């Protein structure tokens, strides 16, 4: 009962965290991809994507209906469930591989900020780590379970291609422990998910583009950085996990378990160094090896202290001291909440309708305008800027200039596209929401005035300060609304006119 109560407490903390800790931008992108697929769209064919789709196919049914912004909180609840199942699989693996329960290691991992944060997010890596632990459990059984382990490892890679490194490590363990025959069974099981995904792309006609985005583009990845920053974060917050893992590998207490731990740590480390952009989610691949090695190390440390109260007091003191950095890291993460994002999302949901151009992907429950529903700096570096800019401008025009959410990722977009946005959109409350509009410089209002083509037909509110404004020679009051089609309008002023703006309040077909 003690361990069950302990796991339940961790599960509850994760549930609270999932409803509080700030969103990662990738969560919106993964949720939107699932939303699009639930409505029949095919990645690569209908929209750009650089992730494999298994996780999103499984997530898609949970985005059906008219989800609205709050659905992402429920999807985080699914991630918390995955988090809890992973802790269960972790505990089971430790018992099967070492012969003992080691709840301290479960706490080390659950409190590790990198692990905790990435497991409660809506992202494929948490799902992949669960599959990794389940695959390792399969390797502890007979041959038929080795086939199942291979299937889980293959599905893991179809959830996120970077997990090919961890899958390779599990394959090596299958070969070491079950011989050539076991390795073949593992490989046959591992081929099922890739074949099914291949057929999915083939049948939908997306295969050529999928190859271009998933293989060619990833092979040409230009953005890279050192894993040192997040490795330092792992050490600062979870040194006890690394130290006990090192002790477990050096002590070599139970050779089969130690060999498996060493292989997993080696391939997880390889991933961290070879993945071009090793964000925190990349470091999740280290945890299966660290868990097993740390359990061996903790068991070895227990042998150095006499049984009874000395061991209890020493273990408790070490546990508390070691977890303080982790708790401090989590305290910082809890200080950055999701409330601001949720408030903006709810406002957009209640006050607007129709498609969006959203640089961040925040409005995941609406159709995105254009082929590229989300882009970050690394992807922008590999696209032809002018082609992307022109096709995006054309898509915005064809959609009748939908609402725009200007976020920091738009700052990475080509200058010509950003200029297009500033020429055709104006900021409104709440920031960073932008609506179709135009600002007219007062120098252009003199004489016969200025010929202005507004971005699309609709009803426009005209506001200014100072003198008089005439539209097509009709005098207006500031705040008045006019209806226009696609033809230009003539705008002129009399007196000192400042900050003349046209803001669309209603679109027309």
């Amino acid at each position: 009962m003690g361990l069950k109560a302990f796991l339940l407490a961790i599960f509850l903390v994760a549930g609270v965290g999932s409803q509080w800790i700030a969103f990662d931008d990738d969560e919106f992108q993964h949720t939107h991809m699932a939303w699009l697929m639930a409505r029949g769209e095919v990645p690569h064919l209908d929209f750009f994507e650089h992730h494999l789709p298994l996780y999103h196919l499984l997530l898609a049914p949970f985005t059906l209906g008219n989800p609205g912004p709050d659905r992402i909180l429920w999807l985080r609840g699914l991630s918390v469930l995955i988090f809890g199942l992973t802790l269960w699989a972790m505990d089971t693996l430790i018992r099967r591989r070492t012969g003992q329960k080691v709840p301290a290691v479960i706490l080390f991992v659950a409190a590790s900020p990198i692990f905790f944060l990435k497991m409660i997010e809506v992202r494929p890596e948490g799902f992949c780590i669960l599959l990794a632990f389940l695959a390792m459990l399969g390797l502890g059984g007979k041959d038929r379970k080795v086939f199942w382990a291979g299937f889980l490892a293959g599905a893991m890679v179809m959830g996120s291609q970077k997990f090919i490194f961890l899958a390779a490590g599990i394959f090596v363990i299958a070969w070491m422990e079950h011989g050539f025959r076991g390795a073949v069974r593992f490989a046959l099981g591992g081929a099922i998910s890739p074949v099914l995904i291949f057929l999915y792309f083939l049948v939908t006609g997306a295969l050529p583009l999928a190859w271009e985005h998933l293989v060619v583009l990833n092979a040409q990845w230009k953005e890279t950085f050192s894993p040192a920053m997040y490795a330092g974060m792992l050490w600062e917050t979870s040194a006890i996990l690394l130290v006990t893992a090192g002790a477990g590998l050096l002590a070599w207490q139970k050779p089969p378990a130690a060999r498996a731990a060493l292989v997993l740590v080696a391939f997880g480390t390889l991933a961290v160094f070879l993945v071009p952009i090793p964000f925190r989610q990349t470091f999740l691949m280290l945890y299966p090896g660290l868990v097993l090695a740390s359990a061996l190390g903790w068991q070895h440390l227990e042998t150095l202290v006499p049984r009874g109260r000395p061991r209890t007091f020493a273990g408790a003191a070490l546990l508390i001291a070691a977890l303080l950095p982790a708790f401090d890291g989590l305290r910082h993460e809890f200080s950055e909440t999701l409330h601001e994002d949720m408030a903006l999302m709810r406002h957009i949901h209640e006050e607007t309708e129709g498609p969006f151009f959203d640089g961040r992907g925040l409005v995941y429950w609406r159709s995105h305008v254009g082929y590229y529903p989300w882009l970050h700096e690394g992807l922008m570096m590999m696209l032809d800027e002018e082609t992307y800019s022109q096709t995006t401008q054309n898509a915005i025009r064809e959609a009748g200039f939908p609402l725009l959410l200007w976020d920091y990722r738009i700052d990475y977009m080509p200058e010509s596209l950003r200029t297009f946005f500033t020429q055709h959109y104006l900021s409104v409350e709440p920031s960073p929401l932008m609506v179709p509009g135009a600002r007219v410089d007062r120098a252009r209002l003199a004489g016969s005035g200025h010929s202005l083509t507004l971005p699309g037909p609709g009803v426009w509110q005209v506001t200014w300060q100072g003198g008089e404004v005439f539209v097509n020679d009709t005098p207006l009051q500031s705040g008045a609304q006019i209806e226009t089609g696609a033809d230009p309008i003539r705008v002129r002023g009399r007196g000192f006119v400042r900050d003349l703006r046209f803001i669309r309040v209603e679109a027309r077909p």
Side-chain angles (χ1 to χ4, degrees), residues 86-381:
T86 303
L87 294 182
W88 167 82
M90 192 184 301
D91 175 64
T92 305
L93 180 66
I94 289 173
R95 286 188 285 108
R96 289 187 183 178
R97 288 276 173 170
T98 70
Q100 293 177 253
K101 294 181 179 181
V102 191
V105 173
I106 306 296
L107 184 56
F108 296 157
V109 174
S112 176
I114 288 178
F115 186 85
F116 183 91
L117 292 172
K118 294 304 160 185
M119 290 299 294
I120 66 172
E121 290 177 356
V122 184
R123 61 184 320 117
E125 287 85 359
F127 167 72
C128 292
I129 282 297
L130 172 60
L131 296 184
F133 278 104
L134 294 176
M136 284 299 299
L137 288 176
L139 292 186
K142 298 180 180 179
D143 284 351
R144 60 184 179 85
K145 290 188 177 180
V146 175
F147 180 87
W148 173 246
F151 170 76
L152 293 171
M156 174 179 69
V157 178
M158 293 300 100
S160 177
Q161 56 264 41
K162 69 173 72 76
F163 276 76
I164 186 69
F165 296 99
L166 190 55
I170 299 174
F171 171 76
V172 170
I173 296 172
W175 195 319
M176 287 170 26
E177 297 181 350
H178 295 272
F180 177 76
R181 181 179 175 182
V184 170
R185 285 179 174 270
F186 184 94
L188 289 173
I192 294 175
S193 291
V195 168
L196 291 176
I197 295 298
F198 174 85
L199 292 175
Y200 167 72
F201 287 138
L202 182 64
V203 170
T204 57
L207 184 59
L209 286 169
W211 175 265
E212 179 71 24
H213 296 161
L214 296 172
V215 179
V216 177
L217 197 65
N218 280 325
Q220 298 173 350
W221 203 273
K222 295 181 180 179
E223 183 187 18
T224 60
F225 61 80
S226 168
M229 179 176 66
Y230 290 113
M233 180 184 295
L234 179 63
W235 173 258
E236 290 170 5
T237 59
S238 305
I240 184 65
L241 182 65
L242 301 179
V243 169
T244 53
L249 295 176
L250 292 174
W252 202 256
Q253 286 300 298
K254 296 171 182 175
R259 279 195 298 267
L262 181 60
V263 169
L264 291 173
V265 168
F267 277 87
T269 304
L270 190 67
V272 166
F273 280 96
L274 292 184
V275 170
I277 45 175
F279 287 118
R280 286 183 287 189
Q281 54 265 30
T282 304
F283 281 78
L284 287 179
M285 282 184 276
L286 283 170
Y287 282 86
L290 292 178
V291 163
L292 201 51
S294 179
L296 294 170
W298 188 261
Q299 289 176 355
H300 178 65
L301 291 176
E302 286 182 334
T303 64
L304 304 179
V305 181
R307 290 181 179 274
R309 288 187 176 181
R311 179 180 295 184
T312 301
F313 289 145
L318 177 60
L319 198 63
I320 293 171
L323 289 174
L324 287 178
F327 292 152
D328 183 64
L330 288 174
R331 179 188 61 81
H332 173 72
E333 298 294 341
F334 271 86
S335 67
E336 299 178 6
T337 72
L338 48 71
H339 300 318
E340 185 176 347
D341 281 339
M342 288 303 304
L344 177 59
M345 292 159 69
R346 286 168 178 151
H347 173 85
I348 291 172
H349 183 61
E350 293 168 1
E351 302 296 330
T352 70
E353 59 183 18
F356 242 82
F357 186 91
D358 182 357
R360 187 180 175 195
L362 191 71
V363 190
Y364 64 85
W365 66 93
R366 299 266 185 88
S367 295
H368 185 278
V369 175
Y371 179 68
Y372 299 89
W374 50 77
L375 287 175
H376 53 68
E377 188 176 14
L379 290 169
M380 285 302 312
M381 293 170 64

